[in-house]
Amino acid sequence: MTVNLEQLRRCHLAVDIGAARTRVFVKGVGLVVDEPSVAAVNTRTGALIAVGALAEKMTGRTPDYIRVARPVSGGTVVDIEMAQRMLRHLLGEKLRRQLRRKPRLRAAACTPHDSDPLAQRAAVETLVGLGARRVELVDTLIAAAVGCGLPVEQPTATMIMVCGAATTQVAVLSLGSIVTAERIPVGGDAIDHAVIQHLRHQHELMLPTQSVRPLQLALHGNGLTPHGPASTEIHGRDVATGLARSVHVDTAAVRDAIHTPLTAVLDGIGKVLRDCPPDLVADLADRGIMMVGGSALLPGLDQMLHNATGMPVRIAERPDVCAVLGLGAMLEGKIQPMVLDPLADTIRVSDRKEKAVRPERAAAPAKAAGATAQPAAAE
């Protein structure tokens, strides 16, 4: 694999800071943190009021002096200090004391594919603020592929699709590295926003962002497939009067609104397949696409991708935590790179033959020098 497995085995914890949730894996313990990436701060005193699930419930329900912050946007840490404070409270005092006892604490972090140096630097600074002396960065695509059990180190094509809250990443992997990949700025948040805008424009209904999940209300049943319910009742606030109102929404129209942002995802998959070598595309016809990430659980999304690409589409067993579990498997040494033994044996045999030939070549000039020196001595 392209990542340095030897350095990863020396790490003590793995962190996956996403736009929606933050997950921490401690070596020898397992997954210890799986909370939303949200923090509530008192703007008057600067004190941290709540983090994780409790802070997420406060969104849209706080007075003026309480601010609900999201230190991660688009898979990149945009507020390093707030991200450090959030991680400290999520880890807890007991676990932080255990980590501080290690003389040289090492950490590993997931970074989005093709992230710029500033984003990588922000991830490193966040973990250095927690006491890490060294930080290893691993591509989210490789970590997620390892976490869902794909044969990443084999010379066969595996296609993975990481459906995050802010971005969607699609890649084809072979021999432990990325052959071709594409990062699309469309995720679960864009799908939710499309539903909210549809209800606002068509029904003049303002939908709360946190009190109800629009997808759970408008896409229950079979989701994006036309076999779902014909209509769904949704509660919200009237745009004109500001009063509470409920409307019956046609789910077919909601599906059409959701298809608009998903078109960009389909275009990204097509670009990856066009840039991929033909031999690997032939392997993908049998293996298909593996979907991971929290947005992969959107009902009917796998069927829509299957109809658009013609390839089999599967969802991982635990799609939301595949990336951090894959990173944890690398930390615990469960992943071994493929060793080319026949090639190594051939190299060793050729080296022995070359060493055996070298003394004969060195002795030949010496004999020639002695033959030319004898007549000169005789004279």
Side-chain angles (χ1 to χ4, degrees), residues 145-279:
V146 172
C148 61
L150 291 178
V152 182
E153 69 280 358
Q154 298 298 323
T156 55
T158 54
M159 191 170 188
I160 188 167
M161 179 176 173
V162 180
C163 307
T167 59
T168 299
Q169 305 174 63
V170 186
V172 175
L173 309 177
S174 180
L175 284 176
S177 66
I178 298 174
V179 178
T180 177
E182 187 71 16
R183 186 179 176 187
I184 307 134
V186 174
D189 293 343
I191 297 174
D192 291 354
H193 182 70
V195 176
I196 293 174
Q197 291 300 315
H198 170 76
L199 297 176
R200 184 184 181 92
H201 294 155
Q202 299 297 327
H203 301 275
E204 296 183 354
L205 190 72
M206 187 177 294
L207 199 65
T209 56
Q210 294 296 328
S211 60
V212 291
R213 290 288 295 174
L215 295 180
Q216 294 177 358
L217 292 176
L219 296 176
H220 69 276
N222 292 326
L224 299 178
T225 61
H227 304 290
S231 63
T232 304
E233 185 179 4
I234 295 182
H235 305 276
R237 190 183 72 179
D238 190 273
V239 175
T241 63
L243 301 177
R245 185 164 63 94
S246 61
V247 296
H248 287 274
V249 179
D250 185 12
T251 54
V254 176
R255 285 195 295 268
D256 294 338
I258 286 179
H259 281 180
T260 301
L262 291 180
T263 304
V265 177
L266 297 177
D267 293 341
I269 294 176
K271 186 178 184 302
V272 169
L273 293 176
R274 287 193 300 270
D275 296 341
C276 189
D279 293 340

Side-chain angles (χ1 to χ4, degrees), residues 55-114:
E56 189 178 34
K57 293 179 181 178
M58 295 182 181
T59 305
R61 299 182 175 90
T62 58
D64 295 338
Y65 65 92
I66 296 179
R67 179 174 65 94
V68 178
R70 293 182 177 270
V72 184
S73 176
T76 303
V77 179
V78 294
D79 191 344
I80 297 177
E81 182 182 358
M82 186 60 64
Q84 291 175 353
R85 297 176 66 183
M86 181 185 69
L87 278 175
R88 290 193 192 101
H89 283 77
L90 289 177
L91 287 174
E93 184 63 29
K94 182 179 179 181
L95 186 56
R96 280 190 289 128
R97 282 200 304 266
Q98 295 177 0
L99 294 176
R100 280 198 298 264
R101 293 172 186 170
K102 301 183 184 299
R104 293 188 61 84
L105 181 64
R106 291 172 177 248
C110 292
T111 56
H113 175 71
D114 202 14

Side-chain angles (χ1 to χ4, degrees), residues 339-356:
V339 180
L340 302 177
D341 289 335
L343 182 60
D345 294 338
T346 305
I347 293 176
R348 295 192 192 100
V349 171
S350 61
D351 290 343
R352 287 197 296 267
K353 289 182 179 179
E354 187 175 355
K355 291 178 181 178

